[in-house]
Amino acid sequence: AWEELPNASDTQFCIPSFYLAGAGAVGQALACAMAAAPCEGTYATVVDHDKIDDDGTNLNRCLLATQEDIGDPKSELTAKFLRSAGADVYVHEHKWEHYLDPNNRLPQRADIAALESNFKYPLIVSCVDENPARHALQKCWPQYLLGGSTNGMGLEVSSYDMESVYECLMCSNPLPKVDSIEEIAMHFKGLAPAEQKAQAQQRRIDL
């Protein structure tokens, strides 16, 4: 019965140290949920290169942002809310691939740096919105990975346990097929010179 359930306000919400890759709509939804419950002791590494803008697809989706936040880094805004929940946060205002080189950033906390030096990333929460970025995260082969994304008007979360026999983040988010040079050349072979030039510019390739 409902009255027999434990009081949620008496429950301490705490998750292990984790990486939050992507601080847009989905990443901010996570931060908002964590800020609503105490999470003392959690350590989060927030990685995002983007800023809040008002282009019609950004500000209206980032539930932590207001007009006053336009132009501010998404990573810092998300970190502020995580800190308000009691978490300790490391921020990197760049892409995940850039973060992986320690020469590109400030020193990490000692225990996290020790894991990274052995190529260990125990828990990654993927909130990125493009498949190449998802592949970059998966290639670190974290022990456990949560993939969050928007799906229509809802939110979809998938879990990827690297000790299981099920598909990984890369498998479930394949990259689009890239034509070989031979395939492109065969396509161009039947086109008039002007059309070849137009197609080359459209595809951003050297004719």
Side-chain angles (χ1 to χ4, degrees):
W2 180 263
E3 60 272 9
E4 295 175 353
L5 292 174
N7 188 344
S9 63
D10 296 333
T11 304
Q12 179 78 0
F13 177 72
C14 186
I15 62 175
S17 299
F18 71 101
Y19 297 88
L20 174 58
V26 180
Q28 290 186 27
L30 170 64
C32 186
M34 292 183 66
C39 59
E40 297 289 341
T42 296
Y43 184 80
T45 298
V46 179
V47 181
D48 195 304
H49 72 290
D50 206 2
K51 298 181 185 298
I52 298 292
D53 59 53
D54 190 15
D55 63 355
T57 62
N58 194 320
L59 181 62
N60 64 324
R61 290 160 49 85
C62 295
L63 74 168
L64 300 181
T66 68
Q67 293 283 346
E68 295 179 355
D69 299 309
I70 293 175
D72 293 342
K74 293 179 179 179
S75 53
E76 280 292 353
L77 178 62
T78 305
K80 179 178 73 173
F81 276 81
L82 287 172
R83 292 186 182 110
S84 73
D88 189 10
V89 187
Y90 176 101
V91 177
H92 185 69
E93 296 175 20
H94 218 293
K95 293 186 176 182
W96 177 259
E97 299 92 312
H98 187 268
Y99 169 82
L100 292 178
D101 184 351
N103 295 315
N104 292 334
R105 52 184 168 85
L106 296 172
Q108 257 285 14
R109 199 172 73 174
D111 57 332
I112 305 299
L115 288 171
E116 292 178 347
S117 66
N118 288 303
F119 306 103
K120 292 183 179 180
Y121 301 84
L123 175 60
I124 295 178
V125 181
S126 168
C127 297
V128 296
D129 56 5
E130 295 182 353
N131 285 355
R134 294 184 177 103
H135 280 233
L137 295 172
Q138 182 62 72
K139 287 177 180 178
C140 291
W141 290 102
Q143 182 179 2
Y144 200 82
L145 194 152
L146 290 173
S149 59
T150 52
N151 184 7
M153 294 296 290
L155 176 68
E156 182 175 282
V157 180
S158 301
S159 61
Y160 303 92
D161 184 352
M162 295 302 98
E163 296 181 0
S164 76
V165 298
Y166 301 105
E167 65 181 8
C168 68
L169 187 64
M170 287 193 295
C171 298
S172 60
N173 296 276
L175 295 175
K177 180 182 180 297
V178 178
D179 293 336
S180 67
I181 293 178
E182 292 79 10
E183 289 171 323
I184 295 173
M186 187 61 67
H187 171 74
F188 274 57
K189 189 175 182 180
L191 301 178
E195 183 63 19
Q196 288 181 345
K197 184 176 180 180
Q199 288 274 334
Q201 290 177 342
Q202 183 179 353
R203 294 181 179 223
R204 297 182 180 179
I205 60 173
D206 187 326
L207 183 57

